[in-house]
Amino acid sequence: AQKITQTQPGMFVQEKEAVTLDCTYDTSDPSYGLFWYKQPSSGEMIFLIYQGSYDQQNATEGRYSLNFQKARKSANLVISASQLGDSAMYFCASGTSYGKLTFGQGTILTVHP
Amino acid sequence: DAMVIQNPRYQVTQFGKPVTLSCSQTLNHNVMYWYQQKSSQAPKLLFHYYDKDFNNEADTPDNFQSRRPNTSFCFLDIRSPGLGDAAMYLCATSWGQFGETQYFGPGTRLLVL
């Protein structure tokens, strides 16, 4: 079984500053994938970034980077230079060998001007 | 652009009246998923198709059925909607099953009167 824990129900950040959203995971699978999705108020789930369990380097995609610490079972999302459009719900998820995604409860990010 | 399309975006139905939600994809992905997401909760997987192989989650109510007539289309049928079935329904696709990134459509918000 897989479990994802996001301990921050809500986060606030000033525009242009960086913010870290926390995610810890628990899995018995030797091989797994970790994902972050953004869900604006419109409801669409937007894929942001992926980290494979065997990847040596932390994943980066533009302003998004994933701080992967395997020994601590954490996969925190770092958003640099926050923008007003980053305000949304963010979900951390893990993927199993048969495709099921297990989601955390999400973190609502609010970016202040 | 390759994408996942869901129609309609908003659906209103009456208690007990069957309703069908539609999903199509131009990504030519093998796997299609249906998720249910209730307000302020994480998405919950209902079932998925790997090609024509149907995989039902153990706790998905019998009231929910799915059809995948071809690679591009997948339907969610709710045979007798109850008030508790009001939710956002998200369709997603991925190339394969193992830890693959899932790409979501914009979702269909279902309201049951």
Side-chain angles (χ1 to χ4, degrees), chain A:
Chain A
Q2 305 225 338
K3 185 178 180 182
I4 298 287
T5 303
Q6 294 180 253
T7 57
Q8 306 155 316
M11 287 286 285
F12 296 89
V13 66
Q14 208 71 26
E15 193 179 9
K16 299 180 184 177
E17 292 185 351
V19 63
T20 298
L21 305 183
D22 294 341
C23 172
T24 58
Y25 62 92
D26 190 11
T27 178
S28 54
D29 288 342
S31 182
Y32 49 90
L34 296 162
F35 304 83
W36 278 92
Y37 286 87
K38 171 185 177 182
Q39 188 174 41
S41 56
S42 61
E44 182 175 2
M45 295 283 279
I46 301 167
F47 165 70
L48 296 178
I49 196 166
Y50 164 81
Q51 179 85 41
S53 58
Y54 290 115
D55 293 343
Q56 297 294 319
Q57 305 265 358
N58 284 345
T60 60
E61 290 285 348
R63 294 187 297 112
Y64 304 108
S65 60
L66 200 152
N67 184 2
F68 180 48
Q69 297 187 45
K70 195 170 183 177
R72 298 178 66 179
K73 294 191 174 182
S74 74
N76 298 339
L77 177 69
V78 181
I79 305 174
S80 63
S82 296
Q83 301 172 356
L84 296 178
D86 294 335
S87 294
M89 175 75 90
Y90 288 81
F91 286 100
C92 179
S94 64
T96 68
S97 58
Y98 60 92
K100 180 176 179 176
L101 278 182
T102 299
F103 288 88
Q105 286 306 107
T107 296
I108 298 175
L109 177 66
T110 304
V111 181
H112 289 303

Side-chain angles (χ1 to χ4, degrees), chain B residues 53-67:
Chain B
D53 292 334
F54 177 70
N55 298 274
N56 197 31
E57 292 299 298
D59 56 355
T60 298
D62 292 340
N63 198 26
F64 291 85
Q65 305 285 321
S66 185
R67 297 170 283 135

